[in-house]
Amino acid sequence: KAGVTQTPRYLIKTRGQQVTLSCSPISGHRSVSWYQQTPGQGLQFLFEYFSETQRNKGNFPGRFSGRQFSNSRSEMNVSTLELGDSALYLCASSLPSGEMFFGPGTRLTVL
Amino acid sequence: DQQVKQNSPSLSVQEGRISILNCDYTNSMFDYFLWYKKYPAEGPTFLISISSIKDKNEDGRFTVFLNKSAKHLSLHIVPSQPGDSAVYFCAASFSGTYKYIFGTGTRLKVLA
């Protein structure tokens, strides 16, 4: 079974721009979560989607948004990029038991 | 307020010996816990989970122990191998929420 895939793997943007990241979960997994990893803050929960509905949201500003499609694929959007948004963005899909499997991440650099 | 803490930022262990990674949590309502290892520039790799209805779960060389009264869990790796050198994260959630709080990680170095 293929794992979680994320595209693109690397992105360089400038302040003020917006970015969209994509995630394809493991086949059959309906829950998709997004996390931000930075050296100072570790892994921070962004949001979780199930059947196209956002079920949980972390403490991030409204510039961070996401959605999930009927095939469980998910996208995350960050608008008006700031330097502090530079991070590794990780997508994970989950079994009903709660076990969570991460993709390789998208490394976003904001200049 | 850090609800999940890994107080040891790093740990070095000789190959073949036991590695013990510790994790403390503050919210007694957490009832599902995961451990991950992470190599640089890769996503975290799931290792093992434990539910609060158990106090131990074992999978090959990895065993996780949960002490609910102490709000403490630990991951034991026996025997440790050089390929185990990575950063290890514990994560906690309220079961069914799929929202995990992660610790800050412990960097394990297994010396050959």
Side-chain angles (χ1 to χ4, degrees), chain B residues 4-9 22-24 35 88-90 103-106:
Chain B
V4 179
K5 300 177 187 179
Q6 293 176 258
N7 292 318
S8 299
N22 294 305
C23 179
D24 297 294
W35 279 95
Y88 288 77
F89 293 95
C90 62
T104 50
T106 295

Side-chain angles (χ1 to χ4, degrees), chain A residues 35 37 55-56 96 98 100 103, chain B residues 32 36 38 43 49 97-98 100:
Chain A
Y35 286 80
Q37 186 185 21
R55 291 199 298 192
N56 289 290
M100 192 167 58
Chain B
Y32 196 69
Y36 289 86
K38 188 178 184 303
S49 64
T97 65
Y98 300 89
Y100 286 90

Side-chain angles (χ1 to χ4, degrees), chain A:
Chain A
K1 214 179 225 187
V4 178
T5 58
Q6 292 187 246
T7 56
R9 292 294 311 279
Y10 302 93
L11 264 179
I12 299 176
K13 293 284 188 179
T14 56
R15 278 179 297 176
Q17 287 188 308
Q18 68 98 28
V19 66
T20 299
L21 313 181
S22 183
C23 171
S24 292
I26 294 170
S27 178
H29 289 195
R30 295 169 64 190
S31 169
V32 174
S33 303
W34 289 88
Y35 286 80
Q36 180 197 65
Q37 186 185 21
T38 58
Q41 297 294 319
L43 279 99
Q44 302 283 313
F45 174 78
L46 281 154
F47 25 67
E48 184 252 344
Y49 288 87
F50 181 86
S51 292
E52 303 177 66
T53 300
Q54 186 182 88
R55 291 199 298 192
N56 289 290
K57 189 175 189 304
N59 298 323
F60 279 81
R63 299 185 298 107
F64 291 82
S65 63
R67 59 178 177 168
Q68 186 182 33
F69 302 95
S70 58
N71 61 358
S72 293
R73 192 176 69 82
S74 178
E75 286 182 348
M76 186 192 117
N77 185 275
V78 189
S79 62
T80 321
L81 284 165
E82 301 177 358
L83 294 178
D85 297 333
S86 293
L88 180 68
Y89 290 88
L90 293 157
C91 170
S93 68
S94 297
L95 289 168
S97 61
E99 291 171 358
M100 192 167 58
F101 300 88
F102 284 92
T106 294
R107 170 71 62 186
L108 171 65
T109 302
V110 182
L111 303 176

Side-chain angles (χ1 to χ4, degrees), chain B residues 5 8 22 25 28 30 35 46 61 65 73-74 89 96 104:
Chain B
K5 300 177 187 179
S8 299
N22 294 305
Y25 58 97
S28 59
F30 286 138
W35 279 95
F46 171 75
R61 296 186 299 115
F65 295 91
L73 64 157
S74 61
F89 293 95
T104 50

